[in-house]
Amino acid sequence: MAEQPAGIVYSPASGTHHARPGRASGFCYLNAPVLGILALLDSGIDRVLYVDLDAHHGDGVEDAFADDDRVLTLSVHEDGRWPFTGKAEDRPDAMAVNLPVPPAFNDTEMDYLLETVILPMGRAFHPQALVIQTGADALAEDPLSRLELSNGALWRAVRALMGLAPRLMVVGGGGYNPWSVGRCWAGIWAVLNGIDPAVPPTPEAEGVLRSLSWSRAAGRNPPEHWFTTLADAPRPGPLRDEVRRVAAAAITKMVRTG
Ligand SMILES: [Zn+2]
C-alpha cells in the first residue's frame, strides 16, 4: 500500500479546472485548483504536481502554470472534446504533459498510462505537494464523455499517486450522472482513509442513493446496483495503439524538456 501523506485535503466541490483569471468557463467560476496551488506556492512549497483525471482537458490549470517550473501539470482527457485543447504536441517547452485519449478509453488503458507515464513522471519530479483532480465524467455511465472507465480505475490512480508527496489535495471535477458521481467520490473518501471502497453502502448511504433523481433518460429506470454498490464492475479492454502513442509522445516530451 502507498505511503500515507502527512496532510490530506479532500474537497469534492473544488475541481473547477476551466475558470480563468478574467472569466468563467465550462461550468467553472473560480479556478479552485489554481487558487489552491497558488496558496501552496505562497507557503514556500516550490514543487507541485497536478494530475487531472477529468474527461475534459484541465486547460485553466495548465494555462496558469505552463511557464512556471514549480508546477508540473498532467492531464488525461478525451481527444477531440471541448475545450479542444491539450494535444500531446502542444506547448513543447512547457511543464505541461497532455494525454489525450480516444473514445472508449478503458480501465486497462488508464492503468497503462498510470504505470508508464503518470507515476514515473510524478516520482521523477519529487513533488512536495500533489493535487489530484478526480472528475467523474470519464466514467462509462457519465453522459458528457465517451470514455468508459469504472470508478475502480480512478480509485487505483488515487491510491497509487497519494504516496508521491507529503501533502495531498484531492478535488472533484465534472460528473453529470448523480449516482456515478456520488459512488465514485464516496469511494475516493474511503481510499484516502485506507478503507476498501468495494463494500456495500451503509443503509443510510443507500437511502441517499435511492433518494436521488435525474431527468435524463438513464435516470428514469436506474439499475439496482447504483443503489446497492459503490464499486462499478471493472471495465478492462484492449490496450490500443492510440493510447500507446500518446504515452510515447509524453515520455519523449519529458525527456526533451528534462
Ligand atoms: Zn469534465
Side-chain angles (χ1 to χ4, degrees), residues 17-18 54-56 137 173-176:
H17 59 164
H18 297 303
D54 192 280
H56 302 92
D137 48 9
Y176 306 92

Side-chain angles (χ1 to χ4, degrees), residues 32-110:
V34 168
L35 295 174
I37 292 168
L38 288 172
L40 289 167
L41 297 174
D42 283 349
S43 75
I45 286 172
D46 55 19
R47 295 184 82 77
V48 180
L49 173 65
Y50 172 78
V51 178
D52 190 313
L53 303 175
D54 192 280
H56 302 92
H57 177 221
D59 56 347
V61 185
E62 178 181 306
D63 280 358
F65 299 112
D67 300 319
D68 189 333
D69 285 348
R70 297 174 298 173
V71 182
L72 172 61
T73 64
L74 248 151
S75 177
V76 180
H77 46 268
E78 185 177 339
D79 194 18
R81 179 162 297 283
W82 188 93
F84 307 108
T85 49
K87 300 286 181 198
E89 64 275 16
D90 285 355
R91 291 187 153 141
D93 300 317
M95 292 282 286
V97 173
N98 282 304
L99 299 162
V101 297
F105 182 60
N106 60 56
D107 286 7
T108 307
E109 292 172 327
M110 182 67 226

